[in-house]
Amino acid sequence: MIYTTNVVASSMASVKLDGKSRALVRQVPQSFTDALAKFFGSGPQDIELAQSQHHNYVKALEDAGVEVTVMEADNAHPDCVFVEDQAVVIDGHVLLPVPGHETRRGEQPPIAEFLINQLKGHKLCRMELPARMDGGDIIRIRDKFYVGHSTRTNSEGIEELKQLLDHLGHELSIINIPDHALHLTSVSSTPSDNLILASEGHLPKDAFEPLPEGVKVLWAPEEEVYGCNTIGFPSGDVLIPIGHPVVKSLLEGEGLNVIELDVSELRNADGSLTCCSIFY
Ligand code: CIR
């Protein structure tokens, strides 16, 4: 991994501790019908619908208090709306993985440039082949990280992430992603800072052990796997994809305020809610 310090200014960027104060999203491109699709969907068909669902997604983030920057689409990259995979911001560091699918690597430069400009003083950590990783394989709950070992994220990528997290004093556990799932965030998420939501039939019941103190795992039935990707806010609001009644009632049972969003046409390209944002 190559580490670079962005020296332009000392760390003026104010990143709130909850890490959800600002988000970068990217428009749905006109080429979206060519997006990769293998797991949840058979490929998107309706670009206007995808764009309008994405617009509602941005509005929901803004309603939750997030300052959202919308980057222009890149028609040369049909999957460019799924920015989560391209960069991860961790405690003063911008991690730029080598995206796991070759066709997606060209999405990264403008995203890197945006984050470098926004986060002056952060350190840049750039992975290099043979390491590969998609941001969608990383979840964080408090100071504990989980990484999915998947078709997109290999052992070399995990080793480089571990080096960074060791340096930051954070714990990392590795979770094997089964062949019938894309990423760790395709089958799990953190709706609050004391909950992990995950899908039965995709991960073993001890997948998240050892858990940080006070954190518990809610298991949703396998048929609601798509509902396991949520975006939680410190206010107790949590965005979930519409049509997952068990997930909804599990989260409401924890006192969370569930807000449902229809993102069916993003799902058709295997994209979930978290995939469309980089929080920084
Ligand atoms: C892909 O296969 O790369 C895209 N069609 C979907 C990426 C979804 N991203 C994510 O789960 N973080």
Side-chain angles (χ1 to χ4, degrees):
M1 183 133 63
I2 298 181
Y3 288 82
T4 322
T5 310
N6 295 316
V7 202
V8 186
S10 61
S11 188
M12 296 299 290
S14 73
V15 180
K16 282 193 196 157
L17 284 180
D18 59 48
K20 294 261 173 67
S21 55
R22 293 183 288 175
L24 174 66
V25 306
R26 197 166 194 181
Q27 291 169 333
V28 174
Q30 287 303 329
S31 55
F32 191 51
T33 47
D34 293 329
L36 300 167
K38 189 174 163 193
F39 299 94
F40 292 130
S42 48
Q45 303 289 326
D46 187 336
I47 290 169
E48 269 182 32
L49 178 60
Q51 287 171 332
S52 113
Q53 290 178 344
H54 188 259
H55 177 82
N56 293 340
Y57 169 86
V58 171
K59 170 109 185 22
L61 292 180
E62 288 173 342
D63 287 348
V66 182
E67 183 190 320
V68 183
T69 299
V70 182
M71 182 176 280
E72 232 177 83
D74 172 1
N75 289 320
H77 291 97
D79 285 293
C80 68
V81 64
F82 303 122
V83 290
E84 176 182 57
D85 298 320
Q86 299 293 330
V88 188
V89 179
I90 306 172
D91 297 5
H93 294 71
V94 178
L95 172 62
L96 296 176
V98 176
H101 199 286
E102 214 178 336
T103 62
R104 299 201 54 199
R105 293 188 187 147
E107 297 169 33
Q108 198 179 54
I111 290 173
E113 190 186 333
F114 173 85
L115 291 172
I116 290 165
N117 282 332
Q118 290 291 312
L119 299 173
K120 298 206 161 78
H122 275 46
K123 276 194 177 152
L124 194 61
C125 313
R126 202 183 276 279
M127 273 187 193
E128 294 201 311
L129 282 167
R132 288 189 289 111
M133 174 170 287
D134 278 358
D137 270 318
I138 300 176
I139 69 173
R140 173 181 194 166
I141 187 145
R142 303 186 195 162
D143 283 338
K144 169 89 193 244
F145 286 74
Y146 296 94
V147 62
H149 191 178
S150 68
T151 52
R152 300 290 175 89
T153 298
N154 64 9
S155 307
E156 291 91 337
I158 291 172
E159 185 48 42
E160 296 210 0
L161 174 67
K162 187 170 177 334
Q163 282 171 20
L164 172 62
L165 295 178
D166 281 350
H167 167 72
L168 294 170
H170 296 326
E171 200 188 325
L172 177 68
S173 292
I174 302 167
I175 296 180
N176 287 318
I177 304 302
D179 290 346
H180 58 297
L182 175 59
H183 288 139
L184 182 58
T185 59
S186 314
V187 297
S188 63
S189 64
T190 53
S192 77
D193 73 357
N194 57 8
L195 291 175
I196 295 173
L197 174 66
S199 166
E200 284 168 358
H202 288 85
L203 301 177
K205 282 281 162 79
D206 61 356
F208 297 95
E209 301 292 341
L211 283 164
E213 209 184 316
V215 171
K216 72 174 174 186
V217 185
L218 301 175
W219 290 98
E222 186 165 5
E223 60 274 18
E224 292 205 13
V225 56
Y226 188 71
C228 289
N229 180 286
T230 65
I231 302 179
F233 296 96
S235 61
D237 287 350
V238 54
L239 305 180
I240 74 165
I242 201 163
H244 301 90
V246 178
V247 165
K248 183 168 189 279
S249 79
L250 282 170
L251 297 178
E252 286 175 345
E254 297 294 328
L256 298 174
N257 177 40
V258 172
I259 299 157
E260 293 175 286
L261 273 181
D262 188 352
V263 286
S264 58
E265 206 56 359
L266 300 171
R267 175 189 165 127
N268 280 337
D270 292 341
S272 309
L273 294 175
T274 61
C275 311
C276 299
S277 293
I278 297 172
F279 291 99
Y280 64 96

